[in-house]
Amino acid sequence: MNRMDVTEKIVSAKVAKGIRWEDVAGRVGQSKEWTTALCLGQMTASAEQATILGDIFGLTDEECKWLQVVPYKGSLPTAVPTDPLIYRWYEIVNVYGTTVKELIHEEFGDGIMSAIDFHMDIVRAPDPKGDRVNVILSGKFLPYKQY
Amino acid sequence: MNRMDVTEKIVSAKVAKGIRWEDVAGRVGQSKEWTTALCLGQMTASAEQATILGDIFGLTDEECKWLQVVPYKGSLPTAVPTDPLIYRWYEIVNVYGTTVKELIHEEFGDGIMSAIDFHMDIVRAPDPKGDRVNVILSGKFLPYKQY
Amino acid sequence: MNRMDVTEKIVSAKVAKGIRWEDVAGRVGQSKEWTTALCLGQMTASAEQATILGDIFGLTDEECKWLQVVPYKGSLPTAVPTDPLIYRWYEIVNVYGTTVKELIHEEFGDGIMSAIDFHMDIVRAPDPKGDRVNVILSGKFLPYKQY
Amino acid sequence: MNRMDVTEKIVSAKVAKGIRWEDVAGRVGQSKEWTTALCLGQMTASAEQATILGDIFGLTDEECKWLQVVPYKGSLPTAVPTDPLIYRWYEIVNVYGTTVKELIHEEFGDGIMSAIDFHMDIVRAPDPKGDRVNVILSGKFLPYKQY
Amino acid sequence: MNRMDVTEKIVSAKVAKGIRWEDVAGRVGQSKEWTTALCLGQMTASAEQATILGDIFGLTDEECKWLQVVPYKGSLPTAVPTDPLIYRWYEIVNVYGTTVKELIHEEFGDGIMSAIDFHMDIVRAPDPKGDRVNVILSGKFLPYKQY
Amino acid sequence: MNRMDVTEKIVSAKVAKGIRWEDVAGRVGQSKEWTTALCLGQMTASAEQATILGDIFGLTDEECKWLQVVPYKGSLPTAVPTDPLIYRWYEIVNVYGTTVKELIHEEFGDGIMSAIDFHMDIVRAPDPKGDRVNVILSGKFLPYKQY
Amino acid sequence: MNRMDVTEKIVSAKVAKGIRWEDVAGRVGQSKEWTTALCLGQMTASAEQATILGDIFGLTDEECKWLQVVPYKGSLPTAVPTDPLIYRWYEIVNVYGTTVKELIHEEFGDGIMSAIDFHMDIVRAPDPKGDRVNVILSGKFLPYKQY
Amino acid sequence: MNRMDVTEKIVSAKVAKGIRWEDVAGRVGQSKEWTTALCLGQMTASAEQATILGDIFGLTDEECKWLQVVPYKGSLPTAVPTDPLIYRWYEIVNVYGTTVKELIHEEFGDGIMSAIDFHMDIVRAPDPKGDRVNVILSGKFLPYKQY
Amino acid sequence: MNRMDVTEKIVSAKVAKGIRWEDVAGRVGQSKEWTTALCLGQMTASAEQATILGDIFGLTDEECKWLQVVPYKGSLPTAVPTDPLIYRWYEIVNVYGTTVKELIHEEFGDGIMSAIDFHMDIVRAPDPKGDRVNVILSGKFLPYKQY
Amino acid sequence: MNRMDVTEKIVSAKVAKGIRWEDVAGRVGQSKEWTTALCLGQMTASAEQATILGDIFGLTDEECKWLQVVPYKGSLPTAVPTDPLIYRWYEIVNVYGTTVKELIHEEFGDGIMSAIDFHMDIVRAPDPKGDRVNVILSGKFLPYKQY
């Protein structure tokens, strides 16, 4: 058994039972973004969270233990994603990558925006011309230092 | 001559003269995100904007014309970026890609978040534990339709 | 279980029972292009459509539920397709890619032809020198905007 | 000197002089699709066409001769295109590739849609919800034969 | 079930029963080249041919139906083949590719040698210095046309 | 200076002077296939041949010396060729690769068809349904031996 | 069943029974290099050799038949091997590749060192500073010829 | 200036002056294998050796200094070499890679054959059936140790 | 059965029983770094160590034998790792790679730092600004020699 | 002009003048590791440091300004490095990658070792059996948090 087996079982149960990620997040007591990433095999659960997920998705004890093991992260099957929704994000990185780099360096100097001390919030923004997906990414700035 | 020559000249002039992207944006009258992407060869200028940029960076008439030609977009030299700042964004897409997909579909149904009817805002969020880079991405939701 | 299992079962049943895509489309009440893409795991069915497909291909309730889940899209096993029929389309993109780009920009300005607000129609055009495959692609033009 | 030098000179002259592809096609006496592909280094000119293009873009005799040499075709710098407009076409091939294959085989049997005995027509389709790019692809069906 | 399962069963039966491709071709009534390609999952059988093959290799009715479905073609596991015999052919394409292109264009003008309206004949040519493999490739010339 | 410079100069002179490969081959006294491969940087000339080529293409003494140096072979810019004419040959290797392997082994046993002790002949075969490109490949069979 | 299944069974039996390749070679009556390559799925056995191997590793009749079928060669899972021992050989090819080419051409002219009419011998060379692995590679020189 | 410029100058001078690697090695006082690798930019010269090479190939003082700088090694333009002579070596690694690994481990245990404490000797072995290229590779065995 | 099966069983047992690598190392009597690499399929056990591991993880005799076979090394599923923790190490190699090369050569001359005669120690360094991961890598310097 | 031009000029001057990185670091007042990375185009200089480097390497004012611009990082020409010294580090990541991941997670929980809040120290460790390269890597542990 490995973590991918557990992920596949969770996703299968979700489809079979018609569960919503938002409701899972409510029961876990964390954001829908982090909770979904956890269920999709990218984050690590506490023992309590694992028990709650085991209850929701009908997992065995051993499967619940796997949720508490730090997973090998990376959720995409190819380096350039083929799925159109995910590709648009890759395209943003590709088209705006150097722009993002220039502007963060102009404001903060040499360093990076952390993808670890990081959170994300995805919200619907109603708009008469068509609703929008608004996403807030927040990452701590980590400066390169001299030594 | 091609657009990359113009981009390289702009970046060279920026370093030599110590120009800030934010000031360029102010003179162009658009956001710093769009303006920087324009200067880095990813967007298309109007005739007036091209003249302003020509003035700022010392471009010839022919170079100004190139700014008004739609460029071949894509700003990264490799499919997986090696630069740590840009890589963190790629990592976010890789680790959270399936999460983003699940949550947008749960809220909106099948479709994508547009990378064309799209804007981005990068801001500094002061924080006593270390300032954060906050980014707002906003893309129109475009539904897949049956036909 | 995942969507690929359902796709494989549909294709297997189609071969075993000698079903035609055009007939499936007739029963689903949509075009043959969209319906085939749905059956091949690229589109999302409504509950009614899933029931009809379940009836045609002998699917279980759980399999019908999977048809209503937005799939991870992308139908090709390699970035450059090896199948000669599909490769010819890739070749058209490769040989004519910059031409298409130039002409759409000349007519519409900077932007893209949507692959989401999109439909396709494949028809036989009788021709004494050999019948032709005619394809109509129709995608909404989405302009890049300044911000 | 090689064909790419000639292509680059043509594109440079086009930008400097503000020439439209459609007008070039009018003078060459062929469709805008074929003529643009010719100018972008993908097709082969006759002597008369080369002279006309030489006149329009200010080419030397030797450059005109290169237009009459069959070029090494392929207009994209990477196997998966990074430019969003061209990528959307790649995405159509990727998402709909197996659908196209199924439907052409269902109608015609085993074989391909030619990319050589082929033409393409790109037109604007006015639409109150936003104009559309309509493209007609027409390729002769070539059957695989037994031997 | 899919075509690859049928191919694997055919190859397995061939080894177990010690069948020769040439004899299979004799019973099918086509060339050994086309028949072998059919058995290896690259071509499409008629109903009669499928019945003959089913008889030779002990296939079920459903497996025979799969032989009549147009397969997803491409017989190699990697883009550059590792098998020395097949690699030599790849090497010929790599070393002589531009030569072949020049000579066909010199004789025929712009166009291609078809890989669809195509046949191949592999024969032993006795030679005192060591027998030779002689291969005749024959493909219809398809000219690019202007439009 | 390197061999590619010499190749580029030869091809440039060929276009400027309107020379045919077949005529070059006639003066060199070898087949058009080998001679073209030599001119395209894949084969090695004798001193006499180099002198003849120098005369035809206007090469310097040093350039003639480079023709006598064994080149780094491989004439294609990408592992999978983008040019349609050359791709068709790659496609033949991909679709028929395992067939070729099976039939040569059935006839000769384990070994390869040499790409070194090899020659190729490209001829036009008139045909009322459209002329054909016929190619004869001839390579010595080299058996694997036990030791 | 395929050859890889047989290879995996042989390797499994070797580990379970503690068999040495050298002893297998002794019973087969060939070198340890060729015999090991045979057992690892790269070479083709005679009927007698297959029987001996079947006896040593406990193979069925059908598995023994597979040993007599010419395999699809290539023993590495990636183009650049990750295993340190095998990588060192790849590194030698990468670092010394052009050197080997220059020296063989200087001695023999244009041609190759055969990898088919080839044998290899791996021996321990005792050395007070640490024993050495000495390898003798021997391949027939095959000259390119003009035609 | 960089090492590749020096390599290109050395190779150019070698062709122009008709120098043999073996003679260069004789003057340098090392083996032809090491000396050629040095001239091709893979090894590092002492000051004396650099002076000798400078004399042979007409190098400037600065170019001689570059010969004494440790180069970025790797002599091949692609991960899988396209040149037939070098490819055969890659093929040997690919086909025999696991065999070499098994036999060295059987004799020496876990570890590698060094590619650094390594030397190579390429010799002609006269043979009535065609002369052979014999190569002796010698690398120190370096054991993995526990810690 | 193969080594990967054993690795997967060990990791599964570790999760199910809540075993720590450090405790495994204590029982094996080696460092936690080497022992973990052994359990993850990268190193080779002695008979005694295999027995201890078999006892800890509940392995069969045959599985214990596999631990004593030199494995095919390489622990990552892609050439560029997607997991953020492992990627950071790849990033260090990418960003600092040429720096490491320059400084080792400046101190030691031409050669490498061995990855075989090598050990690694990972320790926690308490720090009021956030604890640090300190890693000591130690590899024997192996000089390139002339021959 | 761009940063790579400056890097190339620095390296060229270093070779021509025989400068040592350690001495450069002494004058800059930082570690040899950081200073070398700066000179090789991976780090960002302060104005004072740029002036010192300009003095050492004979840089113009504009070149000194480039040293103060945050560079596009990544120092290797290929994803898998070909240079043996750098490859050994890649190999360590490949072989020990999962080990490093397991042990850091066992000690610290889910998170990463920073490559930004990071320093490195390369030292010679005298050893009678051959001196060793000892490297200390120190990166702050950054925990993934729930949100």
Side-chain angles (χ1 to χ4, degrees):
Chain A
M1 186 187 294
N2 58 41
R3 180 70 181 263
M4 280 199 294
D5 298 329
V6 182
T7 299
E8 197 161 338
K9 185 165 176 186
I10 287 177
V11 173
S12 243
K14 176 182 182 293
V15 170
K17 303 184 177 181
I19 301 168
R20 286 174 54 86
W21 295 119
E22 203 153 26
D23 299 336
V24 177
R27 294 215 15 216
V28 167
Q30 299 289 346
S31 68
K32 66 184 185 307
E33 288 77 15
W34 183 85
T35 308
T36 306
L38 168 63
C39 291
L40 295 177
Q42 304 298 315
M43 299 291 156
T44 312
S46 67
E48 299 71 38
Q49 293 165 338
T51 306
I52 295 169
L53 292 174
D55 193 45
I56 297 174
F57 295 110
L59 307 177
T60 66
D61 275 6
E62 194 177 348
E63 288 163 345
C64 286
K65 277 186 185 160
W66 271 102
L67 291 174
Q68 305 171 54
V69 175
V70 184
Y72 191 94
K73 298 180 173 77
S75 70
L76 303 178
T78 51
V80 178
T82 63
D83 182 81
L85 186 140
I86 302 178
Y87 182 81
R88 295 306 179 276
W89 281 60
Y90 178 78
E91 183 176 303
I92 291 168
V93 176
N94 208 320
V95 170
Y96 283 99
T98 49
T99 293
V100 166
K101 180 173 171 66
E102 288 286 326
L103 292 175
I104 294 179
H105 292 327
E106 183 164 297
E107 176 64 30
F108 291 91
D110 197 355
I112 63 152
M113 167 182 162
S114 181
I116 307 296
D117 188 337
F118 169 83
H119 56 83
M120 176 194 298
D121 191 18
I122 300 175
V123 294
R124 175 192 285 263
D127 189 310
K129 284 179 293 187
D131 285 4
R132 300 183 76 81
V133 185
N134 279 6
V135 183
I136 295 93
L137 309 175
S138 173
K140 189 177 175 184
F141 180 75
L142 305 178
Y144 269 98
K145 286 168 200 151
Q146 304 182 1
Y147 55 92
Chain B
M1 186 188 293
N2 58 40
R3 180 70 181 263
M4 279 198 295
D5 298 330
V6 182
T7 298
E8 197 162 338
K9 186 165 176 186
I10 286 177
V11 173
S12 244
K14 176 182 182 295
V15 170
K17 303 185 177 181
I19 302 168
R20 285 173 56 87
W21 294 119
E22 204 153 26
D23 297 336
V24 177
R27 295 219 11 219
V28 168
Q30 299 289 346
S31 69
K32 66 184 185 306
E33 288 77 14
W34 183 84
T35 308
T36 305
L38 169 63
C39 292
L40 295 177
Q42 304 299 314
M43 299 291 157
T44 312
S46 67
E48 300 71 37
Q49 293 165 338
T51 307
I52 294 169
L53 292 174
D55 193 44
I56 297 174
F57 295 111
L59 307 177
T60 66
D61 275 6
E62 194 176 347
E63 288 162 346
C64 287
K65 278 185 185 157
W66 271 103
L67 291 174
Q68 305 171 54
V69 174
V70 184
Y72 191 95
K73 297 179 173 75
S75 69
L76 303 179
T78 51
V80 177
T82 62
D83 182 81
L85 186 140
I86 302 178
Y87 183 81
R88 295 307 179 276
W89 282 59
Y90 178 79
E91 183 176 303
I92 291 168
V93 175
N94 207 321
V95 170
Y96 281 100
T98 49
T99 293
V100 166
K101 180 174 172 64
E102 287 285 329
L103 292 175
I104 294 180
H105 292 327
E106 183 164 299
E107 176 64 30
F108 291 90
D110 196 354
I112 63 154
M113 168 182 162
S114 180
I116 307 296
D117 188 338
F118 169 82
H119 55 84
M120 175 194 300
D121 191 18
I122 301 175
V123 294
R124 175 192 285 264
D127 188 308
K129 284 178 293 185
D131 286 4
R132 299 182 76 82
V133 185
N134 279 5
V135 183
I136 296 93
L137 309 174
S138 173
K140 190 178 173 184
F141 180 74
L142 304 178
Y144 268 99
K145 286 166 199 151
Q146 304 182 3
Y147 56 91
Chain C
M1 187 187 293
N2 57 40
R3 180 71 182 264
M4 280 198 294
D5 298 330
V6 181
T7 298
E8 197 161 338
K9 185 164 176 187
I10 286 177
V11 173
S12 242
K14 177 184 180 294
V15 170
K17 303 184 176 182
I19 301 168
R20 284 174 56 85
W21 295 120
E22 203 153 27
D23 298 336
V24 176
R27 292 208 27 208
V28 167
Q30 299 290 346
S31 69
K32 66 184 184 307
E33 288 78 15
W34 183 85
T35 308
T36 306
L38 168 63
C39 291
L40 295 178
Q42 305 299 314
M43 298 292 156
T44 312
S46 67
E48 299 71 37
Q49 293 165 337
T51 306
I52 295 168
L53 293 174
D55 192 45
I56 297 174
F57 295 111
L59 307 178
T60 66
D61 275 6
E62 194 176 347
E63 288 163 345
C64 286
K65 277 186 185 158
W66 271 103
L67 290 175
Q68 305 171 54
V69 175
V70 184
Y72 191 94
K73 297 180 174 77
S75 69
L76 304 178
T78 51
V80 178
T82 62
D83 182 81
L85 186 139
I86 301 178
Y87 183 81
R88 295 307 180 275
W89 281 59
Y90 177 78
E91 182 175 302
I92 291 167
V93 175
N94 207 321
V95 170
Y96 282 99
T98 50
T99 293
V100 166
K101 179 173 173 65
E102 288 286 326
L103 292 175
I104 294 180
H105 292 327
E106 183 163 299
E107 177 64 30
F108 291 90
D110 197 355
I112 63 153
M113 167 182 162
S114 180
I116 306 296
D117 188 337
F118 169 84
H119 56 83
M120 175 194 299
D121 191 18
I122 300 174
V123 294
R124 175 192 284 263
D127 189 308
K129 284 178 294 187
D131 285 4
R132 299 183 76 80
V133 185
N134 279 5
V135 184
I136 296 93
L137 309 175
S138 174
K140 189 178 173 184
F141 180 74
L142 304 179
Y144 269 99
K145 286 169 200 151
Q146 304 182 2
Y147 56 91
Chain D
M1 186 187 293
N2 58 41
R3 180 70 181 263
M4 280 198 296
D5 298 329
V6 182
T7 299
E8 197 161 338
K9 186 165 176 186
I10 287 178
V11 174
S12 244
K14 177 182 180 296
V15 170
K17 303 185 176 181
I19 301 168
R20 285 173 56 86
W21 295 118
E22 203 153 26
D23 299 335
V24 176
R27 292 207 29 206
V28 168
Q30 300 289 346
S31 69
K32 66 183 185 306
E33 289 77 14
W34 183 85
T35 309
T36 306
L38 169 63
C39 291
L40 296 178
Q42 304 298 315
M43 299 291 157
T44 312
S46 67
E48 299 70 37
Q49 292 165 337
T51 305
I52 295 169
L53 292 174
D55 193 44
I56 297 174
F57 295 111
L59 307 178
T60 66
D61 276 6
E62 194 176 348
E63 288 162 346
C64 287
K65 278 185 186 159
W66 272 103
L67 291 174
Q68 305 170 54
V69 175
V70 183
Y72 192 96
K73 298 179 173 75
S75 69
L76 303 179
T78 51
V80 177
T82 62
D83 182 81
L85 186 139
I86 302 178
Y87 183 81
R88 294 307 179 276
W89 282 59
Y90 177 79
E91 183 176 303
I92 291 167
V93 175
N94 208 320
V95 170
Y96 281 100
T98 49
T99 293
V100 166
K101 181 174 171 66
E102 289 285 328
L103 291 174
I104 294 180
H105 292 328
E106 183 164 299
E107 176 64 31
F108 291 90
D110 197 354
I112 63 153
M113 168 183 162
S114 180
I116 306 295
D117 188 337
F118 169 83
H119 56 84
M120 174 194 300
D121 191 17
I122 301 175
V123 294
R124 175 192 284 263
D127 189 309
K129 284 178 294 186
D131 285 4
R132 299 183 76 81
V133 185
N134 279 6
V135 183
I136 296 92
L137 308 175
S138 174
K140 190 177 174 185
F141 180 75
L142 304 179
Y144 269 99
K145 286 166 199 152
Q146 304 181 3
Y147 55 92
Chain E
M1 186 188 293
N2 58 40
R3 180 69 181 264
M4 280 198 295
D5 297 331
V6 182
T7 299
E8 196 160 340
K9 186 164 176 187
I10 287 177
V11 174
S12 243
K14 176 183 182 294
V15 171
K17 303 184 176 182
I19 302 168
R20 284 173 56 86
W21 294 119
E22 203 152 27
D23 298 336
V24 177
R27 292 209 25 208
V28 169
Q30 299 289 346
S31 68
K32 67 183 185 305
E33 288 78 15
W34 183 86
T35 307
T36 305
L38 169 63
C39 291
L40 295 178
Q42 304 299 313
M43 299 292 157
T44 312
S46 66
E48 300 71 37
Q49 293 164 338
T51 306
I52 295 169
L53 292 174
D55 193 45
I56 297 174
F57 295 111
L59 306 178
T60 67
D61 275 6
E62 194 177 347
E63 288 163 345
C64 286
K65 278 186 185 159
W66 270 103
L67 290 174
Q68 305 170 54
V69 175
V70 184
Y72 191 94
K73 298 179 173 76
S75 70
L76 304 179
T78 51
V80 178
T82 62
D83 182 81
L85 185 139
I86 302 178
Y87 183 81
R88 294 308 178 277
W89 282 60
Y90 177 78
E91 182 176 303
I92 290 167
V93 176
N94 208 321
V95 170
Y96 282 99
T98 49
T99 293
V100 166
K101 180 174 172 65
E102 288 286 326
L103 291 175
I104 294 180
H105 293 326
E106 183 164 299
E107 176 65 30
F108 291 90
D110 197 355
I112 62 152
M113 167 182 162
S114 180
I116 307 296
D117 188 336
F118 169 84
H119 55 82
M120 176 195 298
D121 191 19
I122 301 175
V123 296
R124 175 192 284 263
D127 189 309
K129 284 178 293 185
D131 285 5
R132 299 183 76 82
V133 185
N134 279 6
V135 183
I136 294 94
L137 308 175
S138 173
K140 190 178 174 183
F141 181 74
L142 304 177
Y144 269 98
K145 286 167 200 152
Q146 304 182 2
Y147 55 91
Chain F
M1 184 186 294
N2 58 40
R3 181 69 182 264
M4 280 198 294
D5 298 330
V6 182
T7 299
E8 197 162 338
K9 185 165 177 186
I10 286 178
V11 174
S12 244
K14 177 183 182 294
V15 170
K17 303 185 176 180
I19 302 168
R20 285 173 55 86
W21 295 118
E22 204 153 25
D23 298 336
V24 177
R27 292 207 28 207
V28 168
Q30 300 289 345
S31 69
K32 65 183 185 306
E33 289 76 15
W34 183 85
T35 308
T36 305
L38 168 63
C39 291
L40 295 178
Q42 304 299 314
M43 299 291 157
T44 312
S46 67
E48 299 70 38
Q49 294 165 337
T51 304
I52 294 169
L53 293 174
D55 193 44
I56 297 174
F57 296 111
L59 307 177
T60 66
D61 275 7
E62 194 177 348
E63 288 163 344
C64 287
K65 278 184 185 158
W66 271 102
L67 291 173
Q68 305 170 54
V69 175
V70 184
Y72 190 95
K73 297 180 174 75
S75 70
L76 303 178
T78 51
V80 177
T82 63
D83 182 81
L85 186 140
I86 302 177
Y87 183 80
R88 295 307 179 277
W89 282 59
Y90 178 79
E91 183 176 303
I92 292 167
V93 175
N94 208 321
V95 170
Y96 282 99
T98 48
T99 293
V100 166
K101 181 174 172 65
E102 288 285 327
L103 292 175
I104 294 180
H105 292 326
E106 183 163 299
E107 176 64 30
F108 291 90
D110 197 353
I112 63 153
M113 167 183 162
S114 180
I116 306 296
D117 188 336
F118 168 84
H119 55 83
M120 174 194 301
D121 191 18
I122 301 174
V123 294
R124 175 192 284 265
D127 188 309
K129 285 178 293 186
D131 285 4
R132 300 182 76 81
V133 185
N134 279 6
V135 183
I136 296 94
L137 308 175
S138 174
K140 189 177 174 184
F141 180 75
L142 305 178
Y144 269 99
K145 286 167 200 151
Q146 304 181 3
Y147 55 91
Chain G
M1 185 188 292
N2 57 40
R3 180 70 182 264
M4 280 198 294
D5 299 330
V6 182
T7 299
E8 197 161 338
K9 185 163 176 187
I10 287 177
V11 173
S12 244
K14 177 182 181 295
V15 170
K17 304 184 176 181
I19 302 168
R20 284 173 56 87
W21 295 119
E22 202 153 26
D23 298 336
V24 177
R27 292 207 27 208
V28 168
Q30 299 289 345
S31 69
K32 67 183 184 307
E33 288 78 15
W34 183 85
T35 308
T36 305
L38 168 64
C39 292
L40 295 177
Q42 304 300 312
M43 299 292 157
T44 311
S46 67
E48 299 71 39
Q49 293 165 337
T51 305
I52 295 169
L53 292 174
D55 193 45
I56 297 174
F57 295 110
L59 307 178
T60 66
D61 274 7
E62 194 177 348
E63 288 164 345
C64 287
K65 277 185 185 159
W66 272 102
L67 291 174
Q68 304 170 54
V69 175
V70 183
Y72 191 94
K73 297 180 173 76
S75 69
L76 304 179
T78 51
V80 177
T82 61
D83 182 81
L85 185 139
I86 301 178
Y87 183 81
R88 294 308 178 275
W89 281 59
Y90 177 78
E91 183 175 301
I92 291 167
V93 175
N94 207 321
V95 169
Y96 282 99
T98 49
T99 293
V100 166
K101 181 174 172 65
E102 288 287 326
L103 292 175
I104 294 180
H105 292 327
E106 183 163 299
E107 176 66 30
F108 291 90
D110 198 355
I112 62 153
M113 168 183 161
S114 180
I116 307 296
D117 188 336
F118 169 82
H119 55 82
M120 175 195 299
D121 191 18
I122 301 175
V123 295
R124 176 192 283 264
D127 189 309
K129 283 179 294 185
D131 284 4
R132 301 183 75 82
V133 184
N134 279 7
V135 183
I136 294 93
L137 309 175
S138 173
K140 189 178 174 183
F141 180 75
L142 304 178
Y144 269 99
K145 285 168 200 150
Q146 304 183 2
Y147 56 91
Chain H
M1 185 188 294
N2 58 40
R3 179 71 181 264
M4 280 199 292
D5 299 329
V6 182
T7 299
E8 197 161 338
K9 186 165 176 186
I10 286 178
V11 173
S12 245
K14 176 182 181 296
V15 171
K17 304 185 177 181
I19 302 168
R20 286 174 54 87
W21 295 118
E22 203 154 25
D23 298 335
V24 177
R27 294 210 23 210
V28 168
Q30 300 289 345
S31 69
K32 66 183 185 306
E33 289 77 14
W34 183 85
T35 308
T36 305
L38 168 64
C39 291
L40 295 177
Q42 304 299 314
M43 300 291 158
T44 311
S46 67
E48 299 70 40
Q49 293 165 336
T51 305
I52 294 169
L53 293 174
D55 193 45
I56 297 175
F57 295 110
L59 307 178
T60 66
D61 275 7
E62 193 176 348
E63 288 162 344
C64 287
K65 279 186 185 158
W66 271 103
L67 291 174
Q68 304 170 54
V69 175
V70 183
Y72 190 95
K73 298 181 173 75
S75 70
L76 303 178
T78 51
V80 177
T82 62
D83 182 81
L85 186 139
I86 302 178
Y87 183 81
R88 293 309 178 276
W89 282 59
Y90 177 79
E91 184 175 302
I92 292 168
V93 175
N94 208 321
V95 170
Y96 282 100
T98 49
T99 294
V100 166
K101 180 173 172 66
E102 288 285 326
L103 291 175
I104 294 180
H105 292 326
E106 184 163 300
E107 176 65 31
F108 291 89
D110 198 354
I112 63 153
M113 168 183 160
S114 181
I116 306 296
D117 188 337
F118 169 83
H119 55 84
M120 174 193 301
D121 190 18
I122 302 174
V123 294
R124 177 192 282 264
D127 188 310
K129 284 178 294 185
D131 285 4
R132 301 182 75 82
V133 184
N134 279 5
V135 183
I136 295 94
L137 309 175
S138 173
K140 190 178 174 185
F141 180 74
L142 305 178
Y144 269 99
K145 286 168 199 151
Q146 304 182 2
Y147 55 91
Chain I
M1 184 187 294
N2 58 40
R3 181 70 182 264
M4 280 199 293
D5 299 329
V6 181
T7 298
E8 197 161 337
K9 185 165 177 186
I10 286 177
V11 173
S12 244
K14 176 182 181 296
V15 170
K17 304 185 176 181
I19 302 168
R20 286 173 55 86
W21 295 119
E22 203 153 25
D23 298 335
V24 177
R27 295 214 16 214
V28 168
Q30 299 289 346
S31 69
K32 66 184 183 308
E33 289 76 15
W34 183 85
T35 308
T36 305
L38 168 64
C39 292
L40 296 177
Q42 304 300 314
M43 298 292 157
T44 312
S46 67
E48 299 72 37
Q49 293 165 336
T51 306
I52 294 169
L53 292 174
D55 192 46
I56 297 174
F57 295 110
L59 307 177
T60 66
D61 275 6
E62 194 177 348
E63 288 163 345
C64 286
K65 277 185 186 159
W66 271 102
L67 291 174
Q68 304 171 55
V69 175
V70 184
Y72 191 94
K73 298 180 173 77
S75 69
L76 303 179
T78 51
V80 177
T82 62
D83 182 81
L85 186 140
I86 301 177
Y87 183 80
R88 296 307 179 275
W89 281 59
Y90 177 78
E91 183 176 301
I92 291 168
V93 175
N94 207 322
V95 170
Y96 281 99
T98 49
T99 293
V100 166
K101 180 174 171 65
E102 288 286 327
L103 292 175
I104 294 180
H105 292 326
E106 183 164 298
E107 176 65 29
F108 291 89
D110 198 355
I112 62 153
M113 168 183 162
S114 180
I116 306 296
D117 188 336
F118 170 83
H119 55 84
M120 175 194 299
D121 191 17
I122 301 175
V123 294
R124 175 192 283 265
D127 188 309
K129 285 178 293 186
D131 285 4
R132 300 183 76 81
V133 185
N134 279 6
V135 183
I136 295 93
L137 309 174
S138 173
K140 189 178 174 184
F141 180 75
L142 305 178
Y144 269 99
K145 286 167 201 154
Q146 304 182 1
Y147 56 92
Chain J
M1 185 188 293
N2 57 39
R3 180 69 181 265
M4 281 198 293
D5 298 329
V6 182
T7 299
E8 197 160 340
K9 186 164 175 186
I10 286 177
V11 173
S12 245
K14 176 181 182 294
V15 170
K17 303 185 176 180
I19 302 168
R20 285 173 56 88
W21 295 118
E22 203 153 25
D23 298 337
V24 177
R27 295 217 13 216
V28 168
Q30 299 289 346
S31 69
K32 67 184 184 306
E33 288 77 15
W34 183 85
T35 307
T36 305
L38 169 63
C39 291
L40 295 178
Q42 304 298 315
M43 299 291 157
T44 311
S46 66
E48 299 71 37
Q49 293 165 337
T51 306
I52 294 169
L53 292 174
D55 193 44
I56 297 175
F57 295 111
L59 306 178
T60 67
D61 275 7
E62 194 176 348
E63 288 163 345
C64 286
K65 279 185 185 158
W66 271 103
L67 290 174
Q68 304 170 54
V69 175
V70 184
Y72 191 94
K73 297 179 173 76
S75 69
L76 303 178
T78 51
V80 177
T82 62
D83 182 82
L85 185 140
I86 301 178
Y87 182 80
R88 293 309 178 277
W89 281 59
Y90 177 79
E91 182 175 303
I92 291 167
V93 175
N94 208 320
V95 170
Y96 281 99
T98 48
T99 293
V100 165
K101 180 173 172 65
E102 288 286 327
L103 292 175
I104 294 180
H105 292 326
E106 183 163 299
E107 175 65 30
F108 291 89
D110 197 354
I112 62 153
M113 168 183 162
S114 180
I116 307 296
D117 188 338
F118 169 83
H119 55 83
M120 175 194 299
D121 191 19
I122 301 174
V123 294
R124 176 192 283 264
D127 188 308
K129 283 178 295 184
D131 284 4
R132 300 182 76 82
V133 185
N134 279 6
V135 183
I136 295 93
L137 309 175
S138 173
K140 189 178 174 184
F141 180 74
L142 303 179
Y144 269 100
K145 287 168 199 151
Q146 304 182 1
Y147 56 91

